[in-house]
Every structure is written in structure tokens, then in C-alpha cells.
């Protein structure tokens, strides 16, 4: 198997079509109108943006990531597959999300726990303030968050795919700082395991911390979207507004806030 880490990553942890549809529909349900511009922060291979612009001829996307590697990969492998009229609706910036920007957008998505990169409250606050300024009035900010008892102990979980296995490795967790080290490994069928293909050193922020910080910087109606569960007790991929969650080993949720209408 030709080892392509971004292809394996996407197959293992991303659902860009589902995510783009979710943000689009949630905005319409919340504001009663269509969102046109998505900003995908920490965009990596910016697949959510690619799915977003496919959802309508007036939709645009702004993608920001520090790392030139996933951006170059996506330009070569995904952007090249789009029509010119689609490509011109995607703007890609290789820069720090903390840098000032001039764009105005309807939705900001910070996904795959990327805000956990900011370990200091001051930095996360700066990012949230910038995001609030970047949103149009009524614009929505979404970030995902995960937690639960099983996410705070060393463990390695294997998920088998058709041509490879994906490993989520929780290497360490420090209860004092809430800093944690995670790795992603892959094992193509019939080949050796390729270790530490992706590495994440994160602060495990809690939902109330994130919610409080968003309120503090001025977001309106900050709320949590909690995942429902299927018959086997596992998450069913359906997220709904919740004031309370259930205790579970591991959970994923979204924190959402609106830029107040003018
Ligand atoms: C966990 S990955 C998420 C990638 C993608 N959003 C996804 O859903 O899979 C985090 C990404 O954030 C980028 N990143 C980290 N710090 C950043 C910063 N300060 N500004 C912009 N991008 C950053 C990394 O280069 C990496 O591509």
C-alpha cells in the first residue's frame, strides 16, 4: 500500500460532507437565512471548505492553517479536482489564526479539537475575540470538544478499516495542568505499524471553561450541542442543544456561540 497519511487520516477521523451540511443547516435553522461564507480555522487539508462550496454557487470559504504541508497536499489532490468556478470561491491562507484578518464570515468552524492547541487561557481568549470580530452580525462560531473518564487515562484503541488499522493512542494525561499527549498510528494491512504519524499535545479544556470564556469575550447565546446515543449506547452522530449531558466514558460535543445581531 502506498502510504498516504492524509488519506488515511481523512478516512479515520473526518466526515467533511456531514460537517458542512450540519453547519449549513444549523445556521439556517438558527438564523432563518442562508450562511454564505465559512471560515475553516486550523483547516489542515480544508476538506470541510471544499464540501461547503459544493453546497451552493454563492457559497465561499476561507481556510487558515500554519502548516504548508496539508495545504499543499490538498491543493494537489482535492482542489485540482474542482471546477474553476468552485476553486475561485476558496481562499487559502497559510498563517496563524491569532493574526488579525480583514475577512467577514457567517460561520467559523474550529474542528478536531484544534482549540486545545492553546494551553493558556490568555491565548484562547485572544483567538475567541478575533473570531467574534471576524463574524458578521448573527454569525455562528463552532468548536468541538471531547472528554470523559476514558479520555484521561493511557490507552490505545484500534479501529480496523478495509486496507489499514487506525490507532488512537492516549499516551499521557496530567490532572494538574489537564495537558495530554495523543498520537495517531497506522498499520497498513500486511505491513509494519507506522507510529506517531500525527502527534497532539493538548490542554483538555472542559465544556464550562470554554462556555464561560466565550461569554466573557461577548458571544451571545453560548450553548452546547450534545451527541445523542444509539441502541448500543454509542454516539449516534446527531447533535442537539442540551443543558445537561449524561455521564459517559468518552463524549464529543460542540460549543456554539453567536455574534450578537447589530
Ligand atoms: C488537529 S489538526 C486539525 C486539522 C483539521 N481541521 C481537521 O479537522 O482534521 C490541527 C491543525 O491546526 C494547525 N494549527 C496549529 N496551530 C495553529 C495556529 N496557531 N494557526 C493556524 N493553524 C494552526 C495545524 O497545522 C493542524 O493542521
Amino acid at each position: 500500500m502506498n502510504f498516504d497519511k492524509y488519506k488515511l487520516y481523512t478516512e479515520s477521523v473526518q466526515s467533511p460532507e456531514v460537517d458542512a451540511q450540519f453547519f449549513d443547516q444549523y445556521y439556517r435553522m438558527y438564523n432563518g437565512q442562508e450562511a454564505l461564507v465559512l471560515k475553516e480555522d486550523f483547516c489542515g487539508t480544508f476538506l470541510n471548505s471544499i464540501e461547503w462550496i459544493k453546497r451552493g454557487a454563492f457559497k465561499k470559504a476561507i481556510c487558515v492553517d500554519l502548516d504548508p504541508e496539508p495545504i499543499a497536499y490538498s491543493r494537489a489532490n482535492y482542489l485540482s479536482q474542482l471546477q474553476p468556478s468552485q476553486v475561485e470561491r476558496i481562499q487559502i491562507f497559510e498563517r496563524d489564526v491569532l493574526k488579525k484578518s480583514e475577512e467577514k464570515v457567517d460561520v467559523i468552524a474550529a474542528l478536531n479539537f484544534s482549540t486545545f492547541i492553546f494551553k493558556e487561557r490568555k491565548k484562547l481568549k485572544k483567538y475567541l475575540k478575533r473570531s467574534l470580530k471576524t463574524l458578521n452580525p448573527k454569525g455562528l462560531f463552532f468548536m468541538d470538544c471531547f472528554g470523559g473518564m476514558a479520555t484521561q487515562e493511557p490507552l490505545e484503541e484500534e479501529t480496523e478499516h478495509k486496507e489499514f488499522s487506525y490507532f488512537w493512542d492516549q499516551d499521557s494525561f496530567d490532572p494538574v495542568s489537564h495537558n495530554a499527549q495523543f498520537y495517531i498510528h497506522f498499520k497498513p494491512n500486511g505491513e509494519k505499524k507506522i507510529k506517531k504519524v500525527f502527534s497532539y499535545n493538548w490542554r483538555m479544556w472542559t465544556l464550562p471553561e470554554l462556555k464561560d470564556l466565550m461569554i466573557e469575550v461577548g458571544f451571545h447565546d453560548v450553548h452546547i450541542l450534545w451527541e445523542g446515543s444509539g441502541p448500543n449506547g454509542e454516539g449516534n452522530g446527531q447533535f442537539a442543544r442540551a443543558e445537561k449531558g449524561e455521564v459517559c466514558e468518552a463524549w464529543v460535543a460542540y460549543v456554539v456561540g453567536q455574534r450578537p445581531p447589530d
Side-chain angles (χ1 to χ4, degrees):
M1 180 183 185
N2 213 348
F3 185 67
D4 179 340
K5 69 174 183 180
Y6 290 113
K7 186 166 177 277
L8 268 50
Y9 173 86
T10 298
E11 214 172 309
S12 305
V13 305
Q14 289 187 298
S15 312
E17 220 178 307
V18 175
D19 288 349
Q21 181 187 34
F22 174 65
F23 300 132
D24 202 16
Q25 289 182 344
Y26 197 80
Y27 184 97
R28 189 186 286 278
M29 186 269 296
Y30 194 91
N31 283 322
Q33 63 194 64
E34 187 183 352
L36 295 180
V37 189
L38 166 76
K39 180 164 183 262
E40 187 180 359
D41 279 339
F42 313 97
C43 65
T45 54
F46 55 89
L47 280 173
N48 295 298
S49 297
I50 289 179
E51 292 305 326
W52 178 265
I53 60 97
K54 287 183 189 167
R55 296 183 60 79
F58 295 104
K59 280 188 153 36
K60 294 181 179 174
I62 291 164
C63 319
V64 181
D65 200 289
L66 268 182
D67 187 354
E69 189 186 276
I71 292 180
Y73 175 91
S74 192
R75 279 188 195 279
N77 292 278
Y78 304 134
L79 208 63
S80 55
Q81 307 296 315
L82 299 182
Q83 305 292 331
S85 62
Q86 294 176 314
V87 174
E88 68 190 19
R89 289 185 281 118
I90 303 185
Q91 273 183 289
I92 304 147
F93 297 100
E94 189 189 310
R95 68 166 190 233
D96 193 324
V97 294
L98 293 175
K99 287 253 162 72
K100 267 199 186 131
S101 60
E102 299 303 318
E103 303 95 31
K104 285 286 174 210
V105 307
D106 300 313
V107 174
I108 297 177
L111 299 186
N112 264 327
F113 322 112
S114 296
T115 46
F116 286 11
I117 283 161
F118 300 124
K119 294 195 182 147
E120 295 159 47
R121 194 173 191 279
K122 211 168 93 185
K123 279 234 168 110
L124 181 55
K125 189 170 174 178
K126 184 172 172 185
Y127 169 64
L128 293 172
K129 264 191 179 167
R130 286 249 179 286
S131 297
L132 185 64
K133 276 201 183 141
T134 304
L135 285 170
N136 285 318
K138 295 167 90 175
L140 294 181
F141 175 87
F142 295 84
M143 66 179 146
D144 53 8
C145 177
F146 76 107
M149 271 109 59
T151 67
Q152 300 189 349
E153 59 191 16
L155 72 87
E156 190 172 312
E157 202 178 70
E158 178 178 359
T159 309
E160 286 181 14
H161 292 262
K162 206 168 149 219
E163 295 183 1
F164 67 96
S165 274
Y166 157 84
F167 298 86
W168 176 246
D169 180 359
Q170 298 180 177
D171 190 61
S172 62
F173 172 79
D174 169 26
V176 173
S177 60
H178 263 227
N179 288 344
Q181 177 66 48
F182 302 96
Y183 298 107
I184 290 177
H185 320 296
F186 292 110
K187 186 188 172 307
N189 291 352
E191 293 178 35
K192 268 193 169 169
K193 187 170 175 182
I194 305 166
K195 288 192 171 180
K196 301 186 181 176
V197 179
F198 293 96
S199 163
Y200 307 105
N201 195 268
W202 283 336
R203 169 161 172 185
M204 302 292 288
W205 292 92
T206 65
L207 287 173
E209 284 174 315
L210 295 173
K211 209 174 153 191
D212 285 353
L213 206 45
M214 283 183 65
I215 294 168
E216 203 172 301
V217 304
F219 279 96
H220 169 73
D221 189 29
V222 179
H223 56 282
I224 304 299
L225 301 178
W226 189 258
E227 192 177 8
S229 40
N232 56 1
E234 302 252 306
N236 64 2
Q238 306 290 316
F239 290 84
R241 192 170 173 138
E243 298 303 324
K244 281 187 114 183
E246 308 125 45
V247 177
C248 41
E249 294 278 282
W251 50 261
V252 176
Y254 287 101
V255 190
V256 186
Q258 188 195 41
R259 173 169 165 184
D262 275 347

